[in-house]
Amino acid sequence: KNGEFSVMIGLAIDGKSTLGVVFQPGKDKLYRGVLGQGAALENEGKSEALTVSDKSATDTLKLVVSRSHRPDSIAQIMERLGATEEMPSGSVGIKVGLIAERAADLYVHVSDKSSLWDACAPEAILHAAGGRFTHVDGAAIDYRAKNMANQRGILACNSASFDKVAPVVRDIASSIGFLPQS
């Protein structure tokens, strides 16, 4: 009843997210992206190109977090990064859209409670906007998997801070037993 849901359509070619569309009916917002061709937001009859923020200092990052379930790992990640700002939201597609439009910088989902169909469209949009979208261990997502469960979580981030954020997320995911110890 809060309008924070979306319709997501993604296209993967050879296991790689290539095209994505995320529509938020409650706000009439449409995010779209094609790898190599850019990303855009259609809203109120206007179209604007999307590019992620260039923040690299981890203590300046704003995390977009789940409105319905916020695991303890998020507090640990924020503490290690020195980040203090967070924005609650629903839907993976909307969270990633907020990163693409610079309202947030980072989304982390340290859980196996998502599916690859939750990831394909948002990944294409974020990549097309200049961001990074991986499993929480930093590995690329392969959409050719027979099992559609996304068992290694989601890390969505601007590119400027990814190399600083990824090891922190991976270490915390390992320390809580979500990933094997590295």
Side-chain angles (χ1 to χ4, degrees):
K1 296 185 180 187
N2 64 9
E4 290 182 346
F5 66 94
S6 64
V7 177
M8 301 185 288
I9 301 171
L11 172 67
I13 298 174
D14 295 326
K16 186 175 183 177
S17 176
T18 305
L19 175 144
V21 177
V22 173
F23 181 60
Q24 185 180 8
K27 292 194 174 182
D28 196 28
K29 289 174 85 170
L30 178 83
Y31 299 97
R32 59 181 168 81
V34 179
L35 199 61
Q37 295 182 26
L41 170 63
E42 308 286 336
N43 190 24
E44 298 178 359
K46 298 176 188 168
S47 178
E48 69 177 271
L50 295 173
T51 56
V52 298
S53 77
D54 59 359
K55 291 180 184 177
S56 61
T58 61
D59 62 342
T60 65
L61 300 178
K62 181 185 281 188
L63 277 71
V64 61
V65 298
S66 176
R67 185 176 302 285
S68 60
H69 49 280
R70 187 180 185 280
D72 293 338
S73 59
I74 297 301
Q76 293 175 40
I77 290 166
M78 289 183 73
E79 183 178 335
R80 286 263 308 270
L81 295 175
T84 59
E85 286 190 79
E86 63 181 73
M87 168 189 289
S89 180
S91 172
V92 174
I94 296 170
K95 290 178 183 95
V96 170
L98 291 168
I99 296 170
E101 63 176 294
R102 296 179 175 221
D105 308 293
L106 171 64
Y107 168 59
V108 180
H109 183 72
V110 183
S111 170
D112 59 358
K113 303 291 189 241
S114 69
S115 299
L116 293 180
W117 59 73
D118 293 320
C120 188
E123 179 178 356
I125 293 164
L126 192 60
H127 279 294
R132 302 279 303 271
F133 192 106
T134 65
H135 289 295
V136 296
D137 61 5
I141 297 173
D142 185 347
Y143 293 94
R144 293 176 290 199
K146 291 181 183 181
N147 180 352
M148 296 281 31
N150 183 8
Q151 298 175 331
R152 292 170 35 211
I154 296 170
L155 169 57
C157 188
N158 70 18
S159 293
S161 63
F162 183 84
D163 289 338
K164 295 176 186 174
V165 169
V168 170
V169 172
R170 184 176 42 250
D171 289 348
I172 290 171
S174 293
S175 74
I176 63 171
F178 182 67
L179 296 173
Q181 294 287 333
S182 48

